[in-house]
Amino acid sequence: MPGLKAGDSFPEGVKFTYVAPTGQLDLTTCGLPIKYDASEEFKNKKVVIVAVPGAFTPTCQEQHVTSYLANLDNLKAKGVDQVVFIASNDHFVMAAWGKANGVKDDSILFMSDTGLAFSKSIGWTKGDRTLRYAIVVDHGKVVYADTDDVPKSIGKSGAEAVLSKL
């Protein structure tokens, strides 16, 4: 499946792994990984999937995550139930990234696209990393999907870009 576009159904069988937030921000403690059936979960929610090349990398940390943290209330006002960050990093690294950014609840989840299974299925990878992209899924239907084609840019996948499409 090459890419996704508005009007598509979100694909079946998409699963990620994550460590559920506990409300604690201690980076030295970590829970057990959980499988997350995105295809099922997204049938009942409005979700923004944000793919980044890597946790803790400069653009992803300094621009991407901060844009969503700063705009979380605006996204919720537009009906977004959840933001899901995905990357090729494992679920423990992704959980630590969420904690490092002060996320204590499930308003923003940090998940592993294990083996890049999902990103590869839509053709949005570069080497062993995801492209930088955003997908909005509203109760199982894609309403926005785009990749950033300019290096170090979040012009199509940052929170402001997504908000302009909601």
Side-chain angles (χ1 to χ4, degrees), residues 122-159:
I122 61 173
W124 287 356
T125 60
K126 183 174 183 178
D128 61 353
R129 304 230 182 208
T130 67
L131 292 178
R132 194 178 313 280
Y133 64 83
I135 301 169
V136 178
V137 182
D138 190 350
H139 294 81
K141 290 288 183 190
V142 174
V143 296
Y144 174 76
D146 211 344
T147 63
D148 283 303
D149 46 9
V150 175
K152 300 180 182 179
S153 169
I154 63 166
K156 295 178 182 176
S157 62

Side-chain angles (χ1 to χ4, degrees), residues 10-98:
F10 190 74
E12 291 295 323
V14 176
K15 293 182 173 50
F16 303 120
T17 57
Y18 78 114
V19 175
T22 63
Q24 301 298 318
L25 298 179
D26 181 358
L27 294 177
T28 64
T29 62
C30 198
L32 297 174
I34 301 168
K35 291 277 187 199
Y36 183 88
D37 188 334
S39 301
E40 285 303 312
E41 290 287 333
F42 295 173
K43 288 179 181 176
N44 301 309
K45 296 177 183 174
K46 188 173 189 177
V47 178
V48 179
I49 303 167
V50 185
V52 297
F56 296 106
T57 58
T59 302
C60 304
Q61 176 59 44
E62 295 166 9
Q63 294 181 50
H64 235 151
V65 169
T66 56
S67 80
Y68 282 90
L69 291 170
N71 283 289
L72 191 56
D73 289 339
N74 296 331
L75 290 160
K76 287 183 177 188
K78 294 279 191 171
V80 173
D81 297 302
Q82 210 163 45
V83 176
V84 175
F85 271 85
I86 62 170
S88 61
N89 302 95
D90 71 36
H91 41 264
F92 295 118
V93 170
M94 294 302 285
W97 194 30

